[in-house]
Amino acid sequence: MANSLVNKTITSVRSPNFLKALSSWARNYNSVATVEQPQSDPASSSLAFSIEGEEPKNGDRNGRDDSIYVKARSGNSSREAASSSSVTMPISFMTGSIVGKRFYKKVTTREADDGNGWTVMLDYRTLKMPSKRPLKVPSLPLAKAIAAEWEYQLADGIRPFTMPLMKLTCTALDRVPLTRPKVIENLIDKFNQDLVFCRAPDDNVLTSNVHEKQVEKIDPLLGWVESEFGFKPVVYSCFYGGKQEDGLVKAIENLLKKTDDCELAAIDALASAAHSLVIAIGIFRGKLQIEEAIELIRLEEDLQVDRWGLVEGGHDVDIADLKVQISSAAVFLGLSRRI
């Protein structure tokens, strides 16, 4: 019976109809980066890196644009065309999916045309953000770090999840200027439920050791907040959070309003990863180093791991992911400041 089933399966696989259906399915679900020469404008030096199988049908072009556009202005000299060309990353760059094969050989940096900032070059092309504006960062160290991320990409695909500095830069330059009030509002809304304000009960045998560790590690940070902003933070032992003094909330809000776009993007990323605006501000003000911040964020969970053991493929992955998020945001914060 087993031989009969195998023979039937092999026969069906060899069927032309089956292969045709399989080919059609593959075109719908596999994104293959291709290079196309535009036919509409022979004089243009444009190239279009598109995703095969994603072309809108029936004239519907309202869908998501996952193409990588490489376009140069038409000119009389090859030098003018080379200096004017650019690479625009698709919106899917911000989501983490692979956006296409590596299409460049050399990555360099150069000063922006207006002398105000630095850009990244992929061969002769100027790198652009998903908004199609040229990527122009405030410092050369940050430009070189982003260039290193692009240089690291393999030939079989560009992987945005290995480029945290590029993603933070696009967020800071593309999104924060348009959503600054909303970013600050969201940070302030979550401030009362900050991780460092939540304290384990000290009258329970299961949590007393956690409480002692929190007092040892977190209280110095809370003391710094009081000396820095003039209000003593309130700690609580409730999952629903407590309420901080209005003066402290206002002081934190004023600090956020004074930041530039890169600083606010970094603080927002740090607060999101740490579940703590206080820890994010501690890094921003130089009170906390990366290792110290990670220790505070994982304090309770590390105590549980010490007691019950580490789950492979769970705790270790969470630790690695947290280190990437905190480190990249902290490095971005430092590199984005003009030197």
Side-chain angles (χ1 to χ4, degrees):
M1 182 176 180
N3 290 336
S4 176
L5 290 174
V6 170
N7 290 333
K8 289 181 179 180
T9 302
I10 293 175
T11 301
S12 64
V13 169
R14 290 174 177 172
S15 170
N17 292 332
F18 175 84
L19 294 177
K20 183 178 180 180
L22 180 62
S23 176
S24 176
W25 179 87
R27 284 196 299 271
N28 289 332
Y29 288 92
N30 290 339
S31 294
V32 181
T34 60
V35 182
E36 304 170 350
Q37 286 284 1
Q39 302 299 325
S40 59
D41 185 7
S44 173
S45 59
S46 301
L47 297 175
F49 291 81
S50 63
I51 305 301
E52 184 176 298
E54 293 292 327
E55 184 69 22
K57 297 179 180 180
N58 301 326
D60 179 12
R61 296 185 177 273
N62 295 325
R64 186 183 66 185
D65 185 2
D66 280 336
S67 300
I68 302 175
Y69 299 102
V70 183
K71 185 174 179 62
R73 300 193 190 106
S74 58
N76 296 327
S77 66
S78 59
R79 179 181 181 85
E80 179 184 349
S83 63
S84 301
S85 61
S86 62
V87 179
T88 302
M89 299 314 301
I91 294 298
S92 61
F93 181 88
M94 303 298 290
T95 67
S97 56
I98 297 178
V99 298
K101 294 183 179 180
R102 176 168 175 162
F103 53 88
Y104 54 92
K105 294 182 179 180
K106 186 178 180 180
V107 185
T108 58
T109 59
R110 69 180 180 88
E111 192 172 7
D113 294 336
D114 60 3
N116 184 26
W118 299 83
T119 61
V120 176
M121 305 292 293
L122 305 181
D123 294 332
Y124 60 86
R125 310 173 183 96
T126 301
L127 182 62
K128 288 188 175 183
M129 299 178 293
S131 65
K132 296 181 173 57
R133 294 190 299 121
L135 182 138
K136 185 169 64 174
V137 298
S139 71
L140 178 59
L142 179 57
K144 287 186 176 295
I146 294 172
E149 289 183 335
W150 283 93
E151 183 63 45
Y152 174 80
Q153 300 305 304
L154 303 178
D156 65 336
I158 297 173
R159 293 167 170 80
F161 50 84
T162 64
M163 309 169 73
L165 295 178
M166 177 67 185
K167 186 174 181 178
L168 282 166
T169 301
C170 291
T171 300
L173 302 182
D174 263 358
R175 296 185 177 181
V176 172
L178 302 177
T179 61
R180 167 176 280 271
K182 191 65 177 179
V183 172
I184 295 175
E185 180 184 344
N186 288 338
L187 289 171
I188 294 300
D189 285 346
K190 298 175 183 177
F191 181 63
N192 287 319
Q193 289 77 41
D194 198 287
L195 174 70
V196 300
F197 299 150
C198 185
R199 190 61 53 90
D202 60 351
D203 56 354
N204 189 304
V205 66
L206 295 177
T207 60
S208 59
N209 63 326
V210 178
H211 179 88
E212 293 173 0
K213 203 68 174 179
Q214 288 174 327
V215 171
E216 176 189 349
K217 297 293 185 178
I218 297 179
D219 276 10
L221 179 62
L222 298 181
W224 172 80
V225 171
E226 181 180 5
S227 64
E228 193 80 0
F229 299 101
F231 298 91
K232 184 177 181 179
V234 179
V235 296
Y236 48 83
S237 298
C238 174
F239 287 117
Y240 299 103
K243 180 173 175 56
Q244 300 299 320
E245 290 189 47
D246 293 338
L248 178 58
V249 175
K250 190 65 176 178
I252 296 295
E253 184 177 3
N254 290 336
L255 169 67
L256 296 176
K257 289 179 178 179
K258 294 178 181 178
T259 59
D260 61 33
D261 292 338
C262 289
E263 291 172 339
L264 185 58
I267 291 173
D268 185 50
L270 289 167
S272 176
H275 304 289
S276 172
L277 180 55
V278 173
I279 290 177
I281 292 175
I283 296 175
F284 171 66
R285 286 289 185 91
K287 169 63 178 177
L288 294 174
Q289 299 299 314
I290 294 174
E291 295 81 5
E292 295 172 326
I294 292 173
E295 182 183 8
L296 293 181
I297 297 166
R298 289 197 50 83
L299 190 147
E300 293 92 339
E301 191 166 356
D302 283 343
L303 289 174
Q304 295 299 320
V305 168
D306 292 342
R307 183 170 184 174
W308 304 107
L310 182 141
V311 178
E312 293 185 2
H315 291 124
D316 50 352
V317 174
D318 290 343
I319 293 170
D321 181 61
L322 178 64
K323 287 181 177 179
V324 170
Q325 293 187 59
I326 297 297
S327 300
S328 59
V331 169
F332 172 78
L333 180 63
L335 294 180
S336 65
R337 290 168 172 166
R338 298 177 185 272
I339 300 177

